[in-house]
Structures are given as structure tokens and as C-alpha cells.
């Protein structure tokens, strides 16, 4: 059987899907790297919502997907931008997600870290921003999850300079009950975060970031860097205190950053590990044996798919992630919070299908083919 897929130039091409998925299996916990997948949420397709209304979540399917990730040994990074935080999922929904996922993690023995930000407010001064962070930190800590201090749109808008970042983050780290992960999310993922850490000059911003860490190294488990700049990440991780991990958030260069070099390596907290979960876990277990070349042979071929999903406008990568979850059978529909299933074109989705199928990511290739043909028919593409 073949599938006729649309190309970006409007032409149709014939693609022959594979018939067998990549053979992967669950195994022992990772020993050489700490690896989180930032997980998506499954919307309730029957909810009467609009793009401006709060997200309606299918809790059963959402939690089932997290169990899928845990079953392969991956940690779950919850309520992050992959879960459409600030793009369909408001703070009330995120708080419920954190509580439910943390309880599920405890029940199955899964590792979980959850995002704490300030998205319950849209503006305010430093005191209001600090209070918003404190409210969310309390929810994460009461749920029994590790906190991830997310970048704040409100702080990016209100900060007068590096001193405000030092004051807010210093206060939060002093009062945190346990070490947190600091998240530096670049403006390619969220344009409202331009100039974070007090400067659009990334060298200057890096110095402020490192100053925050140096003042409280015992309260920082690690940093998640999402700047899509491998050289900058390597330079930054080499300057971290020995006790502070670097979790790569670079969805363009993750194989080389996780593999590392003679001076160190990055752990991982990645949105691309949502669709790549089983394959990524298999690769990390190979790396655990010391076989770096085998790790790269498994993971390097996935970069083309990741670069496709995360192409500009990068913030819409969630559409491709959820699309692949639908094709893989992890959810029964291709509906997203905020209507974001419409954020990518049909040629973009068709290429995502082709690349993912070529990697063997679909547990049931026939189901993926049938669902792809259903979508194509909806767009008027005859087979």
C-alpha cells in the first residue's frame, strides 16, 4: 500500500509506509544520564470550548501517556511548554495537571518534575511576580514533585535589569525546600521572553544566570537550556558548579550534547522525547554501556524529524508532537487545547508522518497509515 502525500510546493508524492515498527523494549533504569520527556496534554474532543476558553483535558488519556513514558524509564517534565502552558493551558488547568500527574507518578514509581511559573498573572511588579511564583512553587512541592522554575513573561516585561532577576530568583531559591531546576527558555519558543535575565545580549544574560546559580548552588539541581545553540550550551555547562547538572533542552543538537565530550555532557529535558520516548530510552541504555557510537547510531537519525517539528515558528512544535501521538495510537483524535491542531500546514504534517514512519516510531504502522489517510481525505487529498 502507498500514501499520496502533499509537498510544500503543492505537488503530490507517493510514499510507501513501513510495515514493522522499530523493535524496542523496556529495560533497566538509566545509569549514565537523567532524562526527562516534557509531555503533552490530551484535549477533551467533546468539550464545548473556544480558542480563548480554558483547556478541557482528557485526564485518562493524558495520564495514560505519562505511564507510557514512565514504562520506558523516562522521567516526566510536567506542565511545561510542551503541555501548552500559556498556549491553551492556564494556571488552573496546570495546577490540576500537576496534582494528578504527581499522584500517578507516586503510584507507579515514576520520576516527575513540574513547572512553576507566574502565568496566573499577566503583569505586575517584582513583589506580585514573586508572590505568583511562590503560589505555584507551593502547589508543586505539596504534590511531592521536583520544581522547575520556568521563565516568567511577567518578569520579562517588568524587570528593569539584571538586579530584578537576581532579587526574584534569589528569594525563591532561599525559600525552596529542595533543589530546583532553572529553565532558560529562549524567545524562539516564546517571543515574550526576549531579553530574559536582563539583556538581549546572550553573553550578558549568561553572566546574570550564572550569578544566580553561584549564589545558591545547593538549591539548584540543574539548569534546562532551551536556546537551540549547542556551542553556547557547552560553554555554559563547563562553567557550572560541579554539583549542578545541565539538562539540554536543545531539540536541534541533543545527540551530541547528551553524548558529551572529554569535559562533560548534558542530561536531557526535551519536548522531542515525547514522540521519541521508547527510541530515546533505548539509545540512553546503549549509552549506559559506554557505547557512545551505538547511542549516536540510534539517535542521530531522529534529528531530521526534530528539526522539522521545531522549525519556525518554533512555539508551534506542539502541533506536530500531538499529531504524532494520535498517529501512534496514544490518543483517539487530533484535537488540541486552543485549537492548535490548525497551527501547522498539511504539508508540514505529511512530512512529519513520513519522517516518523521512516524511524519506526509507530507501534502499529497500519493504524498510522489509516489515520494519515483520514486526515488527507478531510483536506481533499484523494488516494
Amino acid at each position: 500500500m502507498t500514501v499520496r502525500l502533499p509537498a510544500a510546493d503543492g505537488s503530490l508524492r507517493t510514499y510507501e509506509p513501513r510495515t514493522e515498527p522499530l523493535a524496542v523494549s523496556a529495560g533497566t533504569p538509566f545509569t549514565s544520564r537523567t532524562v526527562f520527556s516534557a509531555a503533552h496534554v490530551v484535549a477533551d474532543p467533546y468539550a464545548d470550548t473556544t480558542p480563548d476558553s480554558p483547556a478541557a483535558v482528557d485526564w485518562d488519556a493524558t495520564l495514560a501517556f505519562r505511564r507510557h513514558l514512565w514504562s520506558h524509564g523516562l522521567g516526566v517534565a510536567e506542565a511545561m511548554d510542551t503541555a501548552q502552558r500559556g498556549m491553551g493551558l492556564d494556571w488552573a488547568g496546570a495546577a490540576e495537571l500537576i496534582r494528578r500527574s504527581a499522584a500517578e507518578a507516586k503510584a507507579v514509581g515514576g520520576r516527575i518534575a513540574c513547572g512553576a511559573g507566574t502565568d496566573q498573572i499577566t503583569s505586575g511588579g517584582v513583589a506580585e511576580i514573586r508572590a505568583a511564583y511562590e503560589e505555584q512553587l507551593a502547589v508543586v512541592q505539596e504534590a511531592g514533585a521536583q520544581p522547575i522554575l520556568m521563565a516568567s513573561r511577567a518578569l520579562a516585561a517588568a524587570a528593569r535589569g539584571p538586579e530584578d532577576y537576581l532579587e526574584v530568583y534569589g528569594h525563591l531559591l532561599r525559600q525552596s525546600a529542595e533543589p530546583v531546576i532553572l529553565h532558560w527558555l529562549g524567545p524562539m519558543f516564546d517571543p515574550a521572553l526576549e531579553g530574559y535575565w536582563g539583556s538581549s545580549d546572550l553573553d550578558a544574560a549568561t553572566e546574570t544566570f550564572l550569578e544566580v546559580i553561584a549564589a545558591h548552588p545547593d538549591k539548584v539541581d540543574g539548569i534546562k537550556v532551551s536556546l537551540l545553540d549547542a556551542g553556547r550550551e557547552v560553554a555554559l555547562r563547563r562553567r557550572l558548579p560541579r554539583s549542578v547538572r545541565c539538562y539540554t533542552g536543545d531539540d536541534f543538537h541533543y545527540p551530541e550534547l547528551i553524548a558529551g565530550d572529554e569535559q562533560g555532557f548534558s542530561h536531557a529535558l526535551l519536548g522531542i522525547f515525547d514522540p521519541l520516548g521508547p527510541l530515546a530510552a533505548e539509545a540512553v541504555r546503549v549509552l549506559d554501556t559506554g557505547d557512545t557510537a551505538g547511542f549516536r547510531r540510534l539517535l542521530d537519525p531522529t534529528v531530521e524529524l526534530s528539526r522539522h517539528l521545531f522549525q519556525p515558528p518554533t512555539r508551534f512544535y506542539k502541533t506536530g508532537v500531538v499529531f504524532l501521538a494520535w498517529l501512534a495510537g496514544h490518543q483517539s483524535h487530533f484535537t488540541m487545547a486552543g485549537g492548535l491542531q490548525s497551527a501547522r500546514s498539511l504539508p508540514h504534517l505529511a512530512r512529519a508522518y513520513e519522517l516518523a514512519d521512516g524511524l519506526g516510531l509507530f507501534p502499529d504502522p497500519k493504524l498510522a497509515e489509516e489515520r494519515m489517510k483520514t486526515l488527507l481525505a478531510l483536506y481533499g487529498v484523494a488516494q
Side-chain angles (χ1 to χ4, degrees), residues 40-42 61 65 68 274-276 309 318-334 356 361-363 367-368 371:
H40 74 281
V41 293
V42 182
F65 187 76
H68 155 72
D274 179 305
L276 292 183
L309 296 182
K318 296 97 167 170
T319 301
V321 165
V322 174
F323 172 65
L324 295 182
W326 173 55
L327 294 183
H330 294 299
Q331 56 193 80
S332 62
H333 58 86
F334 179 36
L361 295 185
F362 302 129
L367 174 66
R371 289 186 169 183

Side-chain angles (χ1 to χ4, degrees), residues 30-358:
F30 308 141
T31 58
S32 65
R33 304 290 189 273
T34 301
V35 181
F36 291 95
S37 166
H40 74 281
V41 293
V42 182
D44 180 352
Y46 304 129
D48 186 11
T49 59
T50 68
D52 295 328
S53 64
V57 177
D58 180 336
W59 294 112
D60 289 342
T62 293
L63 294 177
F65 187 76
R66 280 133 185 82
R67 291 193 297 272
H68 155 72
L69 295 172
W70 285 319
S71 75
H72 288 278
L74 297 160
V76 168
E78 189 56 279
M80 303 293 289
D81 53 295
T82 304
Q84 294 184 242
R85 191 78 179 267
M87 291 183 68
L89 187 70
D90 62 7
W91 166 235
E96 182 71 6
L97 179 63
I98 288 166
R99 294 186 183 102
R100 286 177 180 256
S101 291
E104 196 74 14
K106 184 177 181 180
V108 303
R111 183 165 186 164
I112 189 167
C114 299
T118 65
D119 47 327
Q120 72 272 53
I121 63 173
T122 56
S123 62
V126 168
E128 290 83 5
I129 292 166
R130 191 172 61 197
Y133 264 127
E134 289 172 340
E135 177 190 353
Q136 296 202 13
L137 264 176
V139 169
V140 173
Q141 292 174 336
E142 287 166 7
Q146 182 180 16
I148 302 171
L149 282 185
M150 300 173 68
S152 164
R153 292 174 177 174
L155 182 56
R160 296 160 296 177
E163 63 278 3
D164 284 337
Y165 290 90
L166 294 170
E167 194 280 325
V168 169
Y169 279 90
H171 174 84
L172 296 171
L173 291 173
R174 283 191 296 272
Q175 73 171 42
S176 180
E178 63 177 293
V180 308
I181 298 173
L182 298 179
H183 187 190
W184 186 355
L185 190 68
M188 67 288 293
F189 288 92
D190 186 344
L193 298 177
E194 178 67 43
Y196 213 73
W197 304 110
S199 178
S200 293
D201 181 323
L202 290 180
D203 291 334
T206 297
E207 295 306 316
T208 303
F209 189 45
L210 287 168
E211 188 175 346
V212 169
I213 298 164
H216 308 278
D218 59 322
K219 291 297 185 74
V220 181
D221 164 73
I223 62 170
K224 171 177 161 33
V225 186
S226 300
L227 297 175
L228 303 183
D229 184 332
R232 184 169 294 278
E233 178 175 322
V234 171
L236 177 57
R237 81 183 182 205
R238 288 176 179 171
R239 297 179 63 188
L240 293 174
R242 185 177 296 273
S243 62
V244 177
R245 296 182 177 96
C246 179
Y247 295 94
T248 187
D250 189 328
D251 301 278
F252 285 1
H253 307 98
Y254 51 94
E256 64 199 71
L257 290 164
I258 297 170
D261 55 29
E262 66 282 353
Q263 297 186 52
F265 56 82
S266 295
H267 300 270
L269 198 165
L270 288 160
I272 191 58
F273 280 7
D274 179 305
L276 292 183
L279 192 160
E282 184 86 358
V284 174
R285 288 193 180 90
V286 170
L287 185 61
D288 286 346
T289 70
D291 184 0
T292 303
F295 166 81
R296 294 294 297 268
R297 280 195 298 273
L298 278 171
L299 214 54
D300 281 1
T302 69
V303 172
E304 185 178 5
L305 170 64
S306 189
R307 286 177 175 262
H308 177 73
L309 296 182
F310 285 78
Q311 67 182 238
T314 302
R315 63 188 182 278
F316 294 126
Y317 75 88
K318 296 97 167 170
T319 301
V321 165
V322 174
F323 172 65
L324 295 182
W326 173 55
L327 294 183
H330 294 299
Q331 56 193 80
S332 62
H333 58 86
F334 179 36
T335 304
M336 296 178 67
L340 280 185
Q341 66 271 13
S342 65
R344 292 294 200 187
S345 69
L346 184 62
H348 177 93
L349 298 176
R351 182 60 178 158
Y353 162 70
E354 184 177 9
L355 291 170
D357 180 74

